[in-house]
Amino acid sequence: MSSTQIPPISAPPSTKEVTGFLKNRLWQQRKWIFASLFFALITVGIQVLQNTLAKSFFDKGVLPHDGKKLISICIALVIYFLFEGLVTYFHRYLLRVGAESMVKDMRKEVFDRFLVLSQSQFSKFTSGKAVNHIVSDIQVISQGLHIIADVVQSPLTIIGMLGYLLYLNWKLTLVCFVAIPLIAVTGKALGKSARRNQMRIQRTLEKISNHVIESIRGLRTAHAFNQTPRLQSEFSENLDESYQHYLKLARIEEVVAPLTKWVTSWVGAFIIGFGGFLVIQDAPLVEAGDPRAFTAGALIAFLMAAGRIQQPLRQLNQVNIRFQQVLASAERIFGVLQEKLDPVSASQENFLMSLSSAEPSSRKEHSTHSPSLSLEFEDVSFRYPARDGENFYETSHALRQISLSLEPGMKIALVGRSGSGKSTLSLLALRFLDPTEGQIRLGGKDSKQWDLGEYRNHFAHVSQDVYLFNRSVKENLLFANPNATNEEIHSALKKAEILDFIESLPKKLDTQIGELAGTLSGGEKQRLAIARAFLKNAPFLILDEATSQLDAHSEEGVQQALKELMKGRSAIVIAHRLTTVREVDRVLVMEHGRIIEEGRPSDLLAKQESSFASLWKKQVEGQH
């Protein structure tokens, strides 16, 4: 049977695909965009009216020395600017609402995608890369989408002003058409360079994020080996690389405005020179009252309208550069969202969606479970995917043709050297991974056919690597059973031999445990994890070195509590301390991913040549 665990390698998305991805997301916000477009059209109309007002000001207000006309024009000017300000506000604000709504939805979708990825698929990412996608990449898109207002209004302004210029004087207007392609060509070239640099910036930020996460998590190790100078030096190198890329991008962004102004200054100079000549030429017609004459007011209005074209042209160039930056980040986000989910990830996504779409009152986050089901492994093999740069390949088998049956109420122990496959088997049982080959059945039903939430509700899990969230003690315990009462929580803590410690904390159950549970010792974290298992009260227990962090006194108490908890329940106990597995029903000795020996503990110990007996002598009897 072919492997299903190696993450598929997708080809980089094309610019067309990424642009289509952004267009689809914007179309979802069309009600805001169309509302904004309506106000943009009004804004352009007001700007044309303002130019007409300026022409009237110079032709009828100042030159004829008509005081009343002058006052009315000034009042109209104030009203026009007030109205323009209001309309522009609604135009830009409504677009921002749409853009921010789109960014919010996108950020949630990317976060949800990472929530459901299986361990195999998440191996394609580092923590820094995941954080950078959710925070930095989408922040670039958010900032870039603020330019949508310019994308909408700038072309409308250019079209409106060009129409007005043609109305005033078609000869002068032809000059303006010369500048547009020159600026467009320049902007296109700068935009490509901006996109390349933005991709480099995002990759560098990825390295920085990953370095920060790793440094914080490994700070104790770095101090122990005096390696903080190395971490400092590597961080500085990453910052310097990022700094250089930002400078390149800054040079591209900042050259747009002066370059556009320089090109348009030639056009402006020609308009003033040639326009002034036309005014002088038509002076006799003005005195004769000919309406076709090109007046000084018309030249002023022409210059104002042409000036209004310069700004949107400059904005469109900046828009192009910013849009290329958005495309660079959108390409990375699109790559995450288009990745085909493996079966475990797809099941986890379906589970998340079913809970998200259900009414809060109808959610079954901690549904009932049947204690009378068996768990079976049939010829199960598994390979972990490994990563070499951007390429993935299959490693050697972590498990090979494992077959076992865990009947209701049965307890089995998995023993063997580190790396023999014990923890991998437990991850497969929990369906954190799917077998490369073979089948796992719960109650005779293939694990893949179960609703994932319902399937996992049958299991309580305590691993040797305990993770506690930076929340209160109570919130961490409620992860096991959101509906648990305080009495049930206290009972679970008591059985885990940690109730007295929790009661001694300043806020008891409401005490915050800090990031990475830094306020707790290893043994305290282990016992809180055991309390979670008690609180879940599931029919299957998977204990992966569940007492590895406890001292001898605490271990004895917790072992008694675990013994009581396991009554009538099925359990898989993974242990290096062989003294903890004497009372299980069956011991499975593993080596190189295979079960090399199995039987009752007493029977295996009675066989002097058995692997279990050999391990027992080395570990237990060898201590005396």
Side-chain angles (χ1 to χ4, degrees):
M1 187 180 297
S2 62
S3 171
T4 59
Q5 292 297 321
I6 299 301
I9 304 299
S10 301
S14 65
T15 300
K16 183 178 179 181
E17 288 177 316
V18 178
T19 305
F21 165 70
L22 287 174
K23 286 179 179 178
N24 288 336
R25 295 314 173 95
L26 286 170
W27 181 248
Q28 294 172 6
Q29 308 299 327
R30 56 188 176 276
K31 65 178 181 180
W32 302 109
I33 294 175
F34 286 143
S36 175
L37 180 61
F38 171 74
F39 285 104
L41 290 169
I42 297 176
T43 301
V44 174
I46 291 172
Q47 290 173 348
V48 172
L49 287 175
Q50 286 175 357
N51 293 329
T52 303
L53 184 64
K55 181 178 182 299
S56 179
F57 175 79
F58 284 98
D59 288 344
K60 300 178 182 179
V62 176
L63 299 181
H65 306 289
D66 185 342
K68 291 183 179 181
K69 189 69 174 179
L70 179 60
I71 293 174
S72 64
I73 290 174
C74 290
I75 294 174
L77 191 64
V78 172
I79 294 173
Y80 274 128
F81 273 112
L82 174 62
F83 192 55
E84 182 193 19
L86 288 172
V87 172
T88 301
Y89 166 77
F90 284 112
H91 157 60
R92 302 187 74 89
Y93 175 72
L94 290 173
L95 270 178
R96 288 286 295 274
V97 171
E100 293 302 329
S101 177
M102 169 184 158
V103 166
K104 180 196 71 173
D105 293 343
M106 192 181 295
R107 183 167 274 141
K108 181 181 183 300
E109 189 173 349
V110 175
F111 180 71
D112 287 351
R113 174 52 60 100
F114 283 121
L115 280 182
V116 304
L117 288 184
S118 67
Q119 288 185 263
S120 293
Q121 285 205 284
F122 194 78
S123 64
K124 298 183 69 173
F125 302 92
T126 61
S127 297
K129 188 171 186 177
V131 170
N132 201 54
H133 280 321
I134 296 170
V135 178
S136 180
D137 279 325
I138 295 184
Q139 185 63 26
V140 171
I141 295 174
S142 174
Q143 292 173 345
L145 289 180
H146 293 171
I147 63 175
I148 293 179
D150 297 328
V151 173
V152 172
Q153 187 171 350
S154 294
L156 292 176
T157 301
I158 292 171
I159 294 171
M161 292 302 137
L162 283 176
Y164 182 67
L165 293 177
L166 286 170
Y167 165 75
L168 289 175
N169 191 292
W170 67 270
K171 296 177 183 178
L172 279 178
T173 306
L174 292 177
V175 179
C176 296
F177 282 108
V178 176
I180 294 175
L182 290 175
I183 296 172
V185 170
T186 304
K188 185 176 182 180
L190 292 173
K192 289 181 179 179
S193 181
R195 184 174 181 179
R196 287 194 300 269
N197 275 282
Q198 187 63 48
M199 288 291 287
R200 293 169 186 151
I201 287 171
Q202 295 306 106
R203 284 194 291 265
T204 307
L205 289 177
E206 210 172 89
K207 291 164 62 177
I208 291 173
S209 298
N210 202 57
H211 187 84
V212 170
I213 292 170
E214 283 191 336
S215 298
I216 292 173
R217 287 179 176 175
L219 198 56
R220 187 179 297 179
T221 302
H223 283 305
F225 290 98
N226 292 323
Q227 288 299 306
T228 48
R230 176 182 175 180
L231 296 179
Q232 182 188 50
S233 174
E234 291 173 350
F235 187 69
S236 295
E237 289 175 6
N238 289 332
L239 285 180
D240 288 341
E241 184 180 351
S242 174
Y243 172 72
Q244 293 302 324
H245 292 320
Y246 269 115
L247 286 184
K248 289 179 182 177
L249 186 59
R251 286 197 291 269
I252 295 169
E253 290 179 333
E254 298 306 325
V255 78
V256 172
L259 188 60
T260 304
K261 286 182 179 179
W262 184 74
V263 172
T264 54
S265 68
W266 286 85
V267 178
F270 184 84
I271 289 173
I272 292 172
F274 186 52
F277 171 77
L278 292 176
V279 171
I280 295 170
Q281 186 182 52
D282 287 0
L285 297 177
V286 172
E287 293 180 1
D290 190 337
R292 295 174 299 174
F294 192 70
T295 65
L299 178 59
I300 296 297
F302 193 99
L303 289 170
M304 288 180 62
R308 285 188 180 276
I309 290 178
Q310 176 185 317
Q311 182 178 358
L313 280 174
R314 186 171 65 250
Q315 287 173 337
L316 285 179
N317 255 349
Q318 291 172 332
V319 161
N320 180 48
I321 291 173
R322 187 62 65 86
F323 182 64
Q324 293 300 323
Q325 294 173 252
V326 168
L327 282 179
S329 291
E331 180 179 328
R332 291 156 55 86
I333 296 299
F334 181 67
V336 174
L337 296 179
Q338 76 159 352
E339 192 73 52
K340 184 178 179 181
L341 296 178
D342 64 23
V344 174
S345 301
S347 296
Q348 291 177 161
E349 183 180 53
N350 291 335
F351 172 68
L352 181 64
M353 290 175 64
S354 66
L355 285 185
S356 299
S357 60
E359 294 293 329
S361 59
S362 64
R363 292 180 181 175
K364 296 182 179 180
E365 296 178 10
H366 190 67
S367 60
T368 57
H369 34 60
S370 172
S372 59
L373 300 179
S374 62
L375 180 67
E376 301 168 272
F377 282 62
E378 182 180 342
D379 292 328
V380 169
S381 297
F382 180 78
R383 295 171 183 254
Y384 282 102
R387 178 174 180 168
D388 180 15
E390 293 299 320
N391 299 315
F392 290 81
Y393 59 91
E394 288 183 331
T395 60
S396 58
H397 280 93
L399 292 177
R400 293 174 180 268
Q401 297 180 320
I402 299 295
S403 293
L404 63 89
S405 180
L406 185 62
E407 299 300 326
M410 184 179 180
K411 289 85 179 168
I412 65 172
L414 304 178
V415 301
R417 297 182 178 88
S418 296
S420 60
K422 303 184 300 295
S423 294
T424 299
L425 192 149
S426 72
L427 295 177
L428 287 166
L430 288 161
R431 212 190 164 203
F432 290 163
L433 302 167
D434 273 340
T436 304
E437 301 171 12
Q439 191 177 56
I440 299 173
R441 292 189 295 270
L442 178 64
K445 183 178 176 181
D446 192 323
S447 60
K448 297 177 184 178
Q449 296 176 350
W450 278 83
D451 172 83
L452 190 62
E454 186 179 356
Y455 179 88
R456 287 184 181 158
N457 269 333
H458 287 81
F459 295 86
H461 179 224
V462 180
S463 70
Q464 55 187 322
D465 299 317
V466 176
Y467 188 87
L468 297 171
F469 290 86
N470 184 15
R471 306 184 186 191
S472 69
V473 173
K474 183 176 181 179
E475 286 177 300
N476 272 280
L477 292 172
L478 289 178
F479 267 81
N481 181 358
N483 302 316
T485 64
N486 282 343
E487 290 75 16
E488 290 171 328
I489 291 174
H490 280 85
S491 175
L493 290 170
K494 185 176 182 180
K495 291 175 182 177
E497 298 274 325
I498 196 174
L499 179 61
D500 291 341
F501 170 75
I502 298 300
E503 290 293 316
S504 70
L505 296 175
K507 295 183 179 180
K508 297 181 172 56
L509 285 173
D510 294 323
T511 302
Q512 298 290 317
I513 64 174
E515 187 172 6
L516 299 178
T519 60
L520 303 177
S521 68
E524 288 159 356
K525 288 189 287 187
Q526 195 84 45
R527 279 179 281 176
L528 274 179
I530 293 170
R532 282 196 301 209
F534 278 116
L535 198 60
K536 188 167 186 180
N537 196 26
F540 287 91
L541 299 174
I542 296 181
L543 307 174
D544 188 355
E545 292 296 317
T547 61
S548 63
Q549 299 294 328
L550 302 180
D551 56 49
H553 174 72
S554 297
E555 182 183 1
E556 183 179 356
V558 171
Q559 285 291 353
Q560 289 299 318
L562 289 175
K563 181 179 178 181
E564 182 66 25
L565 179 64
M566 286 191 289
K567 286 182 179 179
R569 291 176 171 82
S570 308
I572 298 176
V573 181
I574 300 172
H576 287 109
R577 297 182 188 178
L578 299 186
T579 54
T580 63
V581 303
R582 282 180 292 189
E583 298 187 22
V584 299
D585 299 306
R586 204 162 190 80
V587 171
L588 280 65
V589 182
M590 300 188 67
E591 186 173 312
H592 301 306
R594 296 181 181 272
I595 298 175
I596 62 170
E597 188 175 80
E598 62 178 299
R600 295 179 59 84
S602 56
D603 294 341
L604 294 177
L605 285 175
K607 298 178 181 178
Q608 296 300 316
E609 71 280 6
S610 74
S611 298
F612 183 70
S614 177
L615 289 171
W616 183 277
K617 288 179 181 179
K618 291 179 181 178
Q619 186 181 115
V620 181
E621 296 178 3
Q623 294 176 355
H624 301 289

